[in-house]
Each structure stands twice: as C-alpha cells, then as structure tokens.
Amino acid sequence: MQPTLVELRENSTMLALTWPDYGTRLLGAETLRRASRAASEIRRQIAGVELAIEPGLHVTALEPIGNYALRLLFSDGHDRGIYPWPYLRELADEQAA
C-alpha cells in the first residue's frame, strides 16, 4: 500500500506519511538515516561501525522511485537509500510501538 500524502515537516527533520488505513505517521531524519539499506550502510553495520549523526541532520530531497519507493537524500551527503513503502510502514510501526 502506498501513502496518500508524503511531506517533509519541522525544517525537513521529519518525514510525514499519511496512509489511507493508518493515518499520518512521522519518521525522524535520524531514524531514517540509520535505517538505510544501502550497501555501504549494510557493510558498516556488519563491521560494527557506529554511524555518527551530525547535529541538525535533515532530509534534503525526496525522489519517488516508480510507485513503490522513495529515495531520500540527507544533509550528511548520504543519497543511496531507497525506502520501499512497506519498509517505511514497518519503520512507522516500530516507532509507534
């Protein structure tokens, strides 16, 4: 399922996703950055290297990838993360719990 509305809020530090059956959920830029599934990030996690998050991290751009995902670009230069809708929904569920 795809959200009906996607927008950046709070100086682009929060991604707001509105789902037809789930309402609006907010995901912080730090949460999203840490959750990146880009190959470089997976390698870093496997190696046990902690991701240093700069103060004021924010999303600089949202790029739709077809009808199935978003590519998020971050103020720290990370631009390789593709976030499928089901994965964003999963992250929202985890944050709500």
Side-chain angles (χ1 to χ4, degrees):
M1 179 176 295
Q2 186 172 343
T4 55
L5 180 64
V6 177
E7 61 184 343
L8 291 172
R9 294 185 183 172
E10 299 181 32
N11 295 321
S12 298
T13 62
M14 300 296 282
L15 177 67
L17 300 159
T18 302
W19 306 89
D21 65 334
Y22 195 55
T24 300
R25 298 295 187 263
L26 300 175
L27 290 167
E30 182 174 337
T31 297
L32 292 162
R33 178 64 179 86
R34 289 188 187 283
S36 175
R37 291 181 171 172
S40 61
E41 295 305 303
I42 299 298
R43 281 192 302 275
R44 180 191 52 72
Q45 291 168 7
I46 290 170
V49 176
E50 181 67 26
L51 176 64
I53 299 289
E54 66 180 42
L57 179 75
H58 60 280
V59 177
T60 59
L62 303 171
E63 295 179 357
I65 305 294
N67 289 326
Y68 75 93
L70 280 180
R71 179 174 169 225
L72 301 178
L73 291 77
F74 294 90
S75 58
D76 67 356
H78 183 69
D79 63 358
R80 302 284 181 195
I82 294 177
Y83 298 77
W85 300 127
Y87 185 50
L88 288 169
R89 177 80 174 240
E90 179 183 319
L91 292 173
D93 285 343
E94 288 173 7
Q95 189 166 303

